[in-house]
Amino acid sequence: MLVNRKLILAHFWFAFAVFGVALTLGAWQMFIRSPIGTWLSNPELYYRSLTAHGTVMGYVFPTLVAMGFGYAISESALEQRLVGVRWAWAGFWLIVGGSIMAVIPIALGRASVLYTFYPPLIGNLFYYLGVVLVVVGSWIWVALMSINLRVWRKAHPGAPVPLAMFANVAGSYLWAWTAVGAALELLLQIIPVAAGLKATIDAGLARVFFSWTLHAIVYFWLMPTYIAYYTIVPRAIGGRVYSDNMARIAFILFLVVAMPIGMHHTFADPQVGAGFKFVHSAFTALVTLPTFLTVFTICASVEIAARLRGGRGMFGWIRVLPWDNPMMLALAFSFVMLGFGGAGGLINMSYQLDASIHNTQWITGHFHLIFGGAIVIMYFAIAYDLWPHLTGRELNDLRLIRTQLWLWFIGMIVTTFPWHWVGILGMPRRMAYFDFGDPAIAPQALSVTFSAIGGFILLASGILFLVILARGMRAPQAEAGSYRFAVAVHQSATVPVALNTHALWVALMIALTITNYGYPILTLATTEGTSVPAVYVGAQ
Amino acid sequence: MSARDLFTFRNPHFTRGVGITAAILIVTAIVGFIVLPFAQPWVQFANVWDAICSAAGVPQRLAGVAAPEQAKRLSEVVLTSHTLSRPSQEAIGRGATLAQRCAICHGPTGLSRADSPNLAGQYAAVIYKELHDFRSGARTNAVMSPFAVNLTDQEIADLSDYYAFLPRLPAYHPTPQLPKPSIVIYGAPMRGIAPCGSCHGSLDNKTGSPWLEGQSEAYLKAQLQAFASGERRNDISQQMRNIARAMTPQEIEQAAAYYASQPPDIVKAVD
């Protein structure tokens, strides 16, 4: 039951439109920095583009996809009209307004601070206010998801919450709490300086606040992907979810352990004690748990589909899977990229191993492979799956869709594998220019060239994606039926209260944030003499 | 299905969830705050509490260790991009009067014919810092130091505002404009040298860094050599000394010749 289709379509279209722009900027950046491009002689233009790319890809695009998908889940999984539609539109327009407000100073070269802010760099006030508006808009969505679930619970006392909605609300709570770190950094540290009320900033404390957001935000980006793994893929390929409870455990584990781990981004920072770094490192290791559970459950679910299609043998069933189905293809690509990206992530989170790749292109390769690869390819799949239900028109050029997914997969591998490699060789990240004529880095020129070619393959795939969706708006009308989610092999009539509600896990999430972040934040905030003069972008 | 049923030790999910989380936290805390600190053979701790404080990052002051005596004075000037950013007309006027004694070397219009720096339209923060450094002895020059030593804070600020106010004019170094050498726009990343142009103009300008277009070639070269030899040491955190030391003599000549041949950025002179 999808009633507010316009609302959901608006979220998706704005998300994908800005994604297209940011993707183009990304490809341009790779080109201009590679040996095949001619250096502009102006690093500022590069950082301007990089800031726009990161701000859109980090804050605007995934947030809007999660929101649009969240509204779709709320209406179709709960089978009730969305409560608070006006608020939802208000949230959407806040994000549109915030995005425009943030992008103007970036385009003018007044906020080339990168999306991670990097204090003591300070950009134009309106850039930060724009980001705040985007976050506030998304918090409206968080509240609406909670309210809609509450309304449904009242009407269905004691009934198990549909898995898709349970996971969706878990994702929204995770976002609500993880965004608090960046919000504190912006409101207490950066905005007072950007507004001219202060001239110094505690860069160390600001970095700790940002690490609060920076890691769990990735799991918020990941949520729609995992929801698609569990509740769309098995249905789309004709199988069933292996275990509903296992899925719930995976999502609550994300809620609990995604949060208190962000300091593995600050391993090289002197302002954080080594003990806390170790604790965060250990908890980061725990995040592999829900991912391993998911990989196991989804592989089992896919095997069920294969056996239902007559697959036999230990591995023979893999052959009979519906490989021409875009959803199957997207899942397989996503898992391959998740595997490589996740393995790289294990190196990043290890205190000692990190030292060899910290701040190198390895990191850039890692998060593009995980986010741009494993996560975003499932965003495409979600859009393809939902589109006929949103537009009331068919989306039947499967060959084009498969081509798009293949291109994205190949492009992402060609882009990120050489990035990892040059990172191991020591190439630093966040550099606008490399002089490949220097004999010391000349051997890396070939890898970087490949990487830039990968960027253009990704751009081609992104354009194809937008073309497919746009053509889907004009295709012949067709009734897609009601939007359904996958059901479990054993759909239990009751679910333990702990796996049907979020309160316990939200409480643990907050408790672990306090134990793992409380002391470092408190000492940094109360220690005198830790602030440094702000460095204003564009000021002499 | 109420909170009462959930948050109770009769609920096995609650007991296990909280128990396992707490156990993991305690184990990792013991390892991170006690076991690992003691596992470092090169660090000595007085007791367990000392190790915990160290691992937690408790800020500590090392007692009884005095800062080493500096053989020469270092710059004590603190600059932000707001330093002298809004000069008054009176300050500029006072500066103009004071500047008459500077004119013999730096020129009546702020343009030097004597291989001294051109000051017309230079950033106020730059002149402010150099005058302070000459006065304190962080930077020394046989000719300049006696002029600076008796200046008051107010006079330094006024002079800085006046020279920043003057329009930038083409200098007396009529050489053909040279192409940008590699050291100016690319630096030498493998030797840790940022491009000259990323702070001093041609690419970007940063707080505290002078723009260099049209300055005397001899002066620029002499300053780079002075930074390289350590004779000049008023650069904050050794920024310029580290760069100049790593530059080749050829690069020093290229950078100096390039900047001397450039016209000043006329557009910026009016803002």
Side-chain angles (χ1 to χ4, degrees), chain A residues 269-517:
Chain A
D269 282 30
Q271 79 278 16
V272 182
F276 283 101
K277 288 175 180 168
F278 175 78
V279 172
H280 279 243
S281 176
F283 273 89
T284 316
L286 286 178
V287 180
T288 53
L289 217 59
T291 294
F292 282 139
L293 284 183
T294 301
V295 171
F296 175 81
T297 312
I298 299 304
C299 285
S301 310
V302 170
E303 188 181 343
I304 290 170
R307 303 238 179 247
L308 286 173
R309 295 165 67 93
R312 296 185 182 285
M314 182 90 106
F315 295 106
W317 56 269
I318 296 173
R319 251 182 303 130
V320 302
L321 281 170
W323 290 107
D324 54 345
N325 184 330
M327 196 57 76
M328 187 65 232
L329 210 55
L331 174 75
F333 291 155
S334 182
F335 267 24
V336 171
M337 293 190 278
L338 187 69
F340 283 110
L346 288 175
I347 288 167
N348 305 344
M349 64 118 239
S350 310
Y351 201 174
Q352 287 82 358
L353 288 176
D354 173 74
S356 59
I357 42 86
H358 197 91
N359 267 344
T360 67
Q361 294 281 29
W362 168 283
I363 303 296
T364 328
H366 164 74
F367 66 72
H368 278 83
L369 188 54
I370 283 278
F371 176 48
I375 295 177
V376 169
I377 205 164
M378 290 310 288
Y379 288 1
F380 297 152
I382 291 168
Y384 290 143
D385 199 55
L386 266 173
W387 222 245
H389 298 268
L390 295 173
T391 59
R393 293 164 193 273
E394 50 191 27
L395 200 62
N396 52 12
D397 196 346
L398 294 186
R399 180 187 289 257
L400 206 58
I401 293 178
R402 284 197 297 268
T403 311
Q404 190 267 325
L405 294 172
W406 268 107
L407 279 179
W408 192 262
F409 175 66
I410 295 169
M412 195 51 80
I413 298 288
V414 174
T415 305
T416 57
F417 278 34
W419 255 352
H420 279 84
W421 172 240
V422 294
I424 295 173
L425 297 179
M427 181 176 269
R429 63 190 279 222
R430 305 188 200 101
M431 296 280 281
Y433 171 79
F434 295 99
D435 177 10
F436 292 102
D438 191 305
I441 59 168
Q444 297 170 21
L446 188 65
S447 305
V448 177
T449 307
F450 275 125
S451 200
I453 293 169
F456 284 102
I457 301 176
L458 288 174
L459 180 60
S461 173
I463 293 170
L464 201 55
F465 171 66
L466 293 175
V467 168
I468 292 168
L469 292 190
R471 280 175 49 173
M473 306 295 290
R474 296 164 163 224
Q477 291 197 336
E479 178 51 49
S482 62
Y483 193 72
R484 293 183 304 108
F485 293 95
V487 284
V489 178
H490 303 288
Q491 196 70 30
S492 45
T494 58
V495 173
V497 61
L499 295 184
N500 205 30
T501 55
H502 302 90
L504 172 59
W505 315 110
V506 170
L508 280 177
M509 168 175 82
I510 295 175
L512 281 178
T513 310
I514 293 169
T515 57
N516 289 11
Y517 271 105

Side-chain angles (χ1 to χ4, degrees), chain B residues 60-147:
Chain B
Q60 292 167 331
R61 284 184 203 288
L62 291 176
V65 181
E69 200 68 26
Q70 286 293 341
K72 292 190 180 173
R73 293 188 68 95
L74 298 177
S75 180
E76 287 161 359
V77 182
V78 176
L79 291 178
T80 72
S81 46
H82 289 317
T83 306
L84 305 181
S85 60
R86 294 203 182 111
S88 68
Q89 292 298 314
E90 290 79 15
I92 293 170
R94 286 195 301 270
T97 310
L98 290 165
Q100 289 184 358
R101 61 178 117 154
C102 315
I104 190 165
C105 293
H106 293 286
T109 55
L111 290 189
S112 169
R113 285 170 179 261
D115 284 340
S116 307
N118 301 329
L119 299 181
Q122 186 53 274
Y123 299 118
V126 170
I127 299 172
Y128 174 85
K129 176 174 181 301
E130 296 308 315
L131 283 176
H132 270 283
D133 286 348
F134 276 120
R135 188 177 69 176
S136 71
R139 185 178 177 188
T140 51
N141 177 284
V143 181
M144 190 62 211
S145 295
F147 280 94

